């Protein structure tokens, strides 16, 4: 066990410093990611409504395609941080390279699927004849950047595992600035239209992937780690990622079901629901930053065979999650007179939004616990349990949500969302208290 990880008096302060050092830059990087789509929307929006609508459809497909494979970041973070804790940096970087090679393979497969099926995928959204061509153009060009996007996920996981969240922040901010600049030049300066926006995104993503590769390759050469693809290592990364893929798909199913139910409640309700979902996602970024810190720190402690330290930092992060949730909930309530007019001036939407907004605010402490424990168990490599727990949550949420159109409105739907988070909290707390996630060693 390394001296740096040995239990000390005043450990909460030390844990606080560790959590802040990783969580604050991680939050900045998380916030920068959705700005890519926002910048594209702001620039393309001036081309016309069909172009903006096409961008919206294509961007939704791209976001789904990439977010489904977020396990490339999560699983890599856990595996790399364990080896860092064990003091084996060459093996840590080697593990990270396996994740990057897996990202390239998955990215190539996704591109091979999307390019020929783009018109069919767009048709699933019921796009009009004026919108569909723009959506297909954007999707086909942007799909070429998917391997780079997935490489960015995997490389981000490598650096998080190495306890570095500052570099991902710098790369994300630089990528956003480059994307915005290229969009302006290619869309209007060169006159490429929506295709220029897509090419700008591809170039920016490739540049980000290139920066990450330089950083990882330097680390590999410094520590004598091989850069060549290793079939066994890539297979191990894929196997570790499958449970997290199931977890992610189950969570996305919850969000899709909630949106489908809201659509059946009426136009005002679905509009209010989309506003709430945007807010809920924004709040999730703040809480997810603590979860990312948890992934990196917990993996490092377990890799160093320090299970007591892992338990101590888990308890501290749960406290952080609760306090953060209370603060965020209070901010939502206090800012609602300012927040609501930013999104709508329709009285019907406001009437549907306000009571449901209070439910979102009240549920934030629960969300804080959920996000933190999710990160802790990911950092411990406990993906199989997370998959089963999320499937159970989906099974509980689905019938409750489907009953909403007959028993209530939008507020009841968000109480069902709160039920979903309570089920997640119960399953995660059960696992955390059992101690079965505390598997020490360089590998799980």
């Amino acid at each position: 066990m390394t001296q740096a990880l040995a239990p000390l008096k005043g450990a909460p302060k030390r844990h606080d410093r560790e959590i802040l050092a990783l969580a604050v830059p991680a939050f900045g990087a998380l916030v920068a990611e959705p700005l890519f789509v926002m910048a594209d929307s702001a620039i393309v929006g001036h081309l016309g409504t069909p172009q903006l609508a096409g961008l919206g459809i294509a961007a939704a497909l791209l976001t789904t395609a990439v977010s489904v494979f977020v396990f490339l970041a999560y699983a890599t973070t856990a595996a790399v941080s364990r080896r860092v804790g064990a003091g084996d940096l060459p093996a840590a970087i080697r593990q990270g390279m396996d994740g990057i090679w897996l990202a390239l393979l998955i990215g190539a497969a996704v591109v091979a699927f999307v390019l020929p099926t783009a018109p069919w995928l767009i048709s699933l959204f019921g796009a009009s004849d004026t919108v569909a061509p723009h959506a297909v153009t954007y999707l086909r060009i942007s799909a070429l950047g998917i391997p780079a996007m997935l490489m960015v996920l995997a490389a981000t996981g490598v650096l998080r595992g190495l306890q570095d969240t500052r570099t991902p922040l710098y790369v994300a901010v630089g990528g956003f600035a480059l994307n915005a600049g290229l969009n302006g030049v290619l869309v209007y300066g060169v006159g490429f239209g929506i295709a220029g926006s897509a090419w700008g995104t591809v170039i920016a993503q490739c540049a980000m992937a290139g920066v990450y590769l330089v950083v990882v390759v330097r680390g590999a050469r410094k520590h004598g780690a091989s850069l060549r693809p290793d079939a066994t290592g890539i297979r191990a990364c894929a196997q570790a990622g499958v449970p997290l893929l199931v977890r992610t798909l189950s969570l996305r199913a919850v969000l899709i079901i909630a949106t489908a139910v809201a659509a059946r409640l009426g136009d005002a309700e679905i509009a209010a629901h989309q506003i709430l979902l945007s807010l809920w996602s924004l709040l999730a970024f703040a809480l997810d930053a603590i979860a990312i810190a948890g992934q990196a720190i917990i993996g490092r402690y377990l890799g160093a065979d320090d299970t007591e330290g892992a338990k101590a930092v888990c308890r501290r992060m749960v406290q952080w999650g609760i306090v953060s949730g209370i603060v965020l909930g209070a901010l939502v309530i206090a800012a609602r007179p300012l927040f609501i007019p930013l999104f709508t001036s329709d009285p019907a939407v406001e009437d549907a939004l306000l009571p449901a907004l209070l439910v979102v605010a009240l549920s934030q402490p629960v969300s804080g616990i959920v996000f933190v424990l999710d990160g802790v168990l990911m950092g411990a490599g406990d993906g199989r349990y997370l998959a089963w727990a999320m499937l159970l949550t989906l099974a509980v949420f689905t019938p409750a949500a489907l009953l909403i159109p007959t028993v209530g409105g939008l507020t009841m739907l968000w109480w069902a969302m709160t039920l979903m988070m309570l089920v997640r909290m119960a399953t995660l707390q059960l696992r955390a208290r059992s101690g079965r996630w505390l598997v020490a060693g360089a590998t799980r």
Side-chain angles (χ1 to χ4, degrees), residues 246-257:
V246 172
R247 168 203 167 272
T248 301
L249 290 173
S250 300
L251 180 56
R252 291 202 69 84
V254 165
L255 300 179
I256 290 170
I257 290 169

Side-chain angles (χ1 to χ4, degrees), residues 3 64 142 160 165 266 282 289 364 374 390 392 401 405 425 436:
Q3 184 178 1
T64 300
S142 295
R160 288 173 181 171
T165 56
L282 178 63
Q364 287 310 297
D374 209 38
M390 197 62 225
L392 173 63
M425 183 179 72
R436 294 179 182 176

Side-chain angles (χ1 to χ4, degrees), residues 29-397:
L30 288 169
V31 170
E33 290 174 8
L35 293 180
F36 271 81
V37 176
M38 289 180 64
D40 288 2
S41 299
I43 292 171
V44 171
H46 293 285
L47 292 174
T49 299
Q51 289 88 339
L52 182 58
L55 169 66
I57 294 172
L61 283 166
L62 284 167
T63 301
T64 300
V66 174
S67 62
V68 160
F69 299 110
V70 73
F71 70 82
L72 289 166
Y74 294 160
T76 303
T77 297
V80 171
S81 61
R82 274 183 175 270
R83 286 161 175 79
V84 169
D88 192 349
L89 283 177
I93 296 173
R94 173 67 262 177
Q95 180 74 41
M97 285 304 305
D98 291 335
I100 291 173
W101 280 112
L102 177 62
L104 277 172
L105 291 173
I106 293 174
V110 174
V111 172
F113 172 76
V114 170
L115 289 181
T117 62
W120 172 74
L121 290 171
I122 296 300
S123 71
L124 295 177
F125 284 77
S128 67
D129 292 339
T130 56
V131 169
H134 299 296
V136 171
T137 296
Y138 190 91
L139 180 59
R140 277 184 166 155
I141 296 173
S142 295
L144 299 175
I146 288 177
M149 295 178 195
L150 298 186
M151 283 178 61
V152 167
L153 283 179
T156 300
V158 175
L159 295 181
R160 288 173 181 171
L162 294 171
Q163 317 297 296
D164 176 10
T165 56
R166 290 183 180 273
T167 300
L169 170 61
Y170 300 147
V171 174
V173 172
F176 164 71
L178 178 61
N179 178 66
L182 286 172
N183 268 259
V185 171
L186 296 176
V187 172
Y188 295 109
V190 182
F192 283 175
I194 194 170
S197 177
W199 280 117
T201 299
V202 170
I203 295 169
Q205 292 290 348
C206 289
M208 292 170 65
V211 172
Y212 276 122
L213 278 179
V214 169
V215 173
V216 174
V217 168
R218 281 180 181 173
R221 289 176 175 171
K222 179 180 179 180
H223 297 286
S226 174
L227 298 173
R228 295 179 179 178
D230 177 70
T232 302
I234 294 172
R235 191 181 306 114
C237 287
Q239 290 173 345
V242 168
L244 295 180
L245 175 62
V246 172
R247 168 203 167 272
T248 301
L249 290 173
S250 300
L251 180 56
R252 291 202 69 84
V254 165
L255 300 179
I256 290 170
I257 290 169
T259 300
V261 169
R264 294 176 62 186
L265 297 175
D267 291 347
E269 284 76 10
I270 185 60
H273 177 74
Q274 288 304 114
I275 295 172
L276 289 166
L277 202 56
S278 298
L279 174 63
W280 192 75
S281 299
L282 178 63
L283 297 173
F285 283 134
L287 299 174
D288 203 29
I290 305 173
I292 287 170
Q295 293 172 31
I297 296 171
I298 291 295
R300 195 181 87 235
Y301 272 83
L302 293 177
D305 294 329
D306 187 358
T307 56
E308 290 302 316
K311 285 194 289 186
V313 78
C314 173
R315 288 193 295 269
R316 191 60 177 172
M317 281 189 289
V318 169
Q319 294 170 359
W320 269 79
I322 294 171
V323 172
S324 298
I326 292 172
V327 171
L328 290 174
L331 286 174
V332 169
I333 293 174
R336 69 186 187 278
L338 301 174
F339 172 79
I340 295 176
L342 289 176
F343 287 89
T344 182
S345 58
D346 186 335
V349 175
E350 291 181 359
D351 289 344
L353 181 62
L354 186 57
L357 186 63
L358 295 176
V359 176
V360 172
L362 291 173
S363 68
Q364 287 310 297
V366 174
S367 296
I369 297 172
V370 168
F371 276 86
V372 166
L373 290 180
D374 209 38
V376 165
L377 296 184
M378 283 184 190
D382 204 10
R384 189 181 298 273
Y385 181 83
L386 290 172
W388 283 111
M390 197 62 225
L391 285 171
L392 173 63
T393 302
L394 176 61
V396 173
F397 171 78

